[in-house]
Amino acid sequence: MRRRTLLVATCHCLGANGAARALGADAAVVLMPQGRARMLQRFTAAGGPLERHTARPGAWYALLYLPMLDPQAPRQLLLWSTERGHELRLFALDAAPDDAPTVLHPLPLDSETSGVGRPPRLSSRFMLPAASTAPAIYVLVEQWSIGGQQPAPLWVQLLAQRAPQRATAPWWASRDAGDTHPAGATAPPSPLAQQQSASGARPHEVPIFNLPAAPDSGAWR
């Protein structure tokens, strides 16, 4: 209950009126799981505090705030643009760039085929470690082009998925040495095939275990 109350309070603070710093917490766009897609229209050119993290010439940035109340429930972040021409990268942070984050972790991106002539839709699946107490994470969205042109608006949406369940042991894991091969069953996969299957099914784990306290407050940023 305490974590949920703090999360709600944080969301209200992020959406409060007033001048937002370039990429401080008050500039973050809050994405609620299973909520409607939102359009990112304002991107900040590389410079300032961003130079300590990922800034490169021609890059533009926006900041997201993603609730993560259940660390074992994977999240899927969807992103799609109206135009081509920019390379997209994502970074998970434990605080806004202006607040000196201690974790800056790249997120994987998968491309999904779109209609003819349309930019592909991108997707990133991730989760927090089981021991994490972080109620949320920040995600820095980077759009880059060689010419440094300002990017087109970007649509973003956050989906919540069920926590992975422990899989039932396959027949070959428990059968006795004297058992015969079950009729119609396939041979057990090779160790390499098992590893590839497991890595493909498990969401990427983001190494954020908590959010740093804001100065002189003792509360999460």
Side-chain angles (χ1 to χ4, degrees):
M1 179 60 70
R2 178 174 177 270
R3 290 176 61 192
R4 186 176 298 276
T5 302
L6 286 172
L7 174 61
V8 172
T10 304
C11 290
H12 281 303
C13 290
L14 293 178
N17 293 328
R21 290 168 294 168
L23 277 177
D26 46 4
V29 173
V30 180
L31 277 188
M32 300 303 295
Q34 308 304 114
R36 294 183 177 180
R38 299 192 62 178
M39 178 183 286
L40 299 181
Q41 294 180 294
R42 296 182 180 179
F43 287 86
T44 300
L50 289 171
E51 294 178 353
R52 300 194 302 267
H53 307 298
T54 65
R56 53 179 175 166
W60 294 77
Y61 296 92
L63 188 64
L64 304 176
Y65 182 88
L66 311 183
M68 301 285 290
L69 287 176
D70 184 355
Q72 288 295 281
R75 296 288 189 265
Q76 183 176 18
L77 181 60
L78 303 177
L79 311 98
W80 63 97
S81 178
T82 57
E83 299 179 11
R84 294 179 180 270
H86 283 75
E87 175 188 324
L88 185 68
R89 295 196 301 177
L90 302 177
F91 301 89
L93 302 88
D94 60 345
D98 280 6
D99 294 329
T102 60
V103 176
L104 179 74
H105 184 78
L107 294 176
L109 272 173
D110 295 319
S111 179
E112 301 178 3
T113 304
S114 299
V116 178
R118 295 182 179 180
R121 188 170 74 163
L122 300 176
S123 171
S124 181
R125 293 181 70 242
F126 50 87
M127 60 192 295
L128 294 178
S132 176
T133 59
I137 63 172
Y138 293 88
V139 171
L140 188 65
V141 180
E142 177 189 271
Q143 293 205 76
W144 175 84
S145 68
I146 296 178
Q149 298 91 345
Q150 186 170 351
L154 185 70
W155 286 97
V156 291
Q157 186 176 25
L158 183 65
L159 304 179
Q161 301 175 344
R162 292 183 178 181
Q165 302 295 321
R166 180 174 297 180
T168 303
W171 63 266
W172 62 82
S174 59
R175 74 184 178 98
D176 296 332
D179 291 346
T180 59
H181 194 291
T186 57
S190 66
L192 177 60
Q194 294 184 53
Q195 292 176 7
Q196 290 176 340
S197 176
S199 62
R202 182 175 177 81
H204 181 78
E205 188 170 281
V206 179
I208 294 179
F209 291 87
N210 53 63
L211 299 188
D216 303 323
S217 70
W220 284 312
R221 294 175 181 171

